[in-house]
Amino acid sequence: MIVEWSEAALTEIASRYGQEARIWKLASDSEGCGCAMNGVAALWSIDAPEAGDLQAESNGVEVWYEKRHEVFFDERMRVSYDPSKRAFKLASDGQIYSNQLRLEDRRNKEE
């Protein structure tokens, strides 16, 4: 899997989540939707990948994913950012996964 980030998207995640947000997990998140097979694409900022996670080729930041979620995504995708909508977009040549991609900070924050 290959995930290409636009410069605008990389700048915006650094602005929102800090320069240390360098590890992201691509997920087909079905939490709260009531159906395990109809998840919504999401990116989670994480401290480290879990055992068994696979690493995608990516520019700028690390992107990891679970093998079981691989079937929901194309081999090559792009993450872009539209400042007029303040929204991230996940797309491939074949489809748009989300025009308002949810990014979530799931890092453990030490106080």
Side-chain angles (χ1 to χ4, degrees):
M1 183 180 297
I2 300 168
V3 180
E4 299 169 342
W5 294 76
S6 70
E7 285 301 318
L10 291 171
T11 300
E12 186 63 21
I13 63 167
S15 173
R16 287 187 191 189
Y17 299 99
Q19 292 292 334
E20 65 280 358
R22 308 293 301 160
I23 305 172
W24 292 83
K25 185 167 186 172
L26 177 63
S28 179
D29 189 6
S30 59
E31 188 172 312
C33 80
C35 179
M37 292 307 291
N38 289 332
V40 176
L43 278 165
W44 303 332
S45 178
I46 58 174
D47 293 311
E50 296 179 15
D53 282 354
L54 302 173
Q55 187 172 13
E57 286 185 42
S58 179
N59 61 311
V61 295
E62 292 180 29
V63 177
W64 296 80
Y65 60 96
E66 294 178 29
K67 177 76 173 158
R68 66 189 176 103
H69 289 175
E70 191 172 39
V71 300
F72 299 115
F73 300 106
D74 286 341
E75 178 61 27
R76 181 181 291 269
M77 296 173 292
R78 296 173 302 279
V79 179
S80 58
Y81 179 71
D82 182 344
S84 68
K85 296 179 183 170
R86 295 185 41 86
F88 290 89
K89 176 180 178 180
L90 178 65
S92 69
D93 287 343
Q95 64 183 308
I96 296 172
Y97 293 93
S98 178
N99 278 321
Q100 295 186 351
L101 180 64
R102 192 174 84 233
L103 277 69
E104 186 176 327
D105 194 343
R106 293 198 171 189
R107 295 174 289 173
N108 292 326
K109 296 197 170 104
E110 296 182 17
E111 300 184 32

